[in-house]
Amino acid sequence: MASLNVGGLGEYLREQRRNAQLSLRQLADAAGVSNPYLSQIERGLRKPSAEVLQQVAKALRISAETLYVRAGILDAERDRDEVETRAVILADPTLNERQKQVLLQIYESFRKENGFGGTEDGEVGAVGPEPGAEASAGTGGRPAERPGHEAGGDDKGPRRTAG
């Protein structure tokens, strides 16, 4: 193996690709890179650019930040837990995209509430409806506000009263 410090990145990419049930060729096509080049990245022989990592992350539907950290492009030792938490949420095959975005928004709001900054790229806030525009996840798609129903009603989930 070459002396590049990207072996961990390649192993991680291979694992994510397999979790996504994609062949090397399918991922290469989806990411817009050549099959041999992606193979060399997975084997730790090539260090990809941030742009290529972003394309691969998008194709795998995982966090580009995680790939940046693993490739040594982003030094996020202090933020590693945050990056990994986001990556786990985004990689969970049992959640749909809307659920992933809602979880990320909740996670970010708790971090802000506890005095930790938001994301630098605005990833969480840029996707999804404005706050209050969508029914809460626990109401089965019904609006959170219904005439004659105040907070503490029989439905699950948070309530807002008209005001």
Side-chain angles (χ1 to χ4, degrees), residues 30-48:
V33 298
S34 74
N35 188 34
Y37 182 61
L38 185 58
S39 175
Q40 290 174 345
I41 294 170
E42 280 194 1
R43 290 181 288 142
L45 301 176
R46 291 277 189 142
K47 182 174 182 178

Side-chain angles (χ1 to χ4, degrees), residues 29-99:
D29 289 343
V33 298
S34 74
N35 188 34
Y37 182 61
L38 185 58
S39 175
Q40 290 174 345
I41 294 170
E42 280 194 1
R43 290 181 288 142
L45 301 176
R46 291 277 189 142
K47 182 174 182 178
S49 68
E51 182 179 321
V52 168
L53 288 176
Q54 185 175 22
Q55 292 170 231
V56 170
K58 186 175 181 179
L60 286 171
R61 302 174 80 108
I62 62 174
S63 167
E65 291 174 333
T66 301
L67 297 184
Y68 296 158
V69 170
R70 290 185 180 263
I73 294 172
L74 178 66
D75 182 20
E77 286 298 320
R78 61 184 173 89
D79 294 330
R80 184 174 294 271
D81 289 341
E82 177 191 0
V83 170
E84 288 179 355
T85 299
R86 291 176 188 283
V88 168
I89 291 170
L90 291 170
D92 189 331
T94 65
L95 301 175
N96 66 39
E97 288 306 307
R98 185 185 135 295
Q99 292 168 332

Side-chain angles (χ1 to χ4, degrees), residues 77-143:
E77 286 298 320
R78 61 184 173 89
D79 294 330
R80 184 174 294 271
D81 289 341
E82 177 191 0
V83 170
E84 288 179 355
T85 299
R86 291 176 188 283
V88 168
I89 291 170
L90 291 170
D92 189 331
T94 65
L95 301 175
N96 66 39
E97 288 306 307
R98 185 185 135 295
Q99 292 168 332
K100 291 175 185 181
Q101 290 304 315
V102 169
L103 273 176
L104 289 172
Q105 289 171 350
I106 292 168
Y107 176 67
E108 185 62 29
S109 71
F110 284 153
R111 286 183 49 79
K112 285 180 183 175
E113 183 178 311
N114 292 333
F116 295 94
T119 60
E120 292 178 15
D121 63 1
E123 175 181 329
V124 175
V127 178
E130 291 296 315
E134 183 175 335
S136 72
T139 62
R142 293 186 308 274

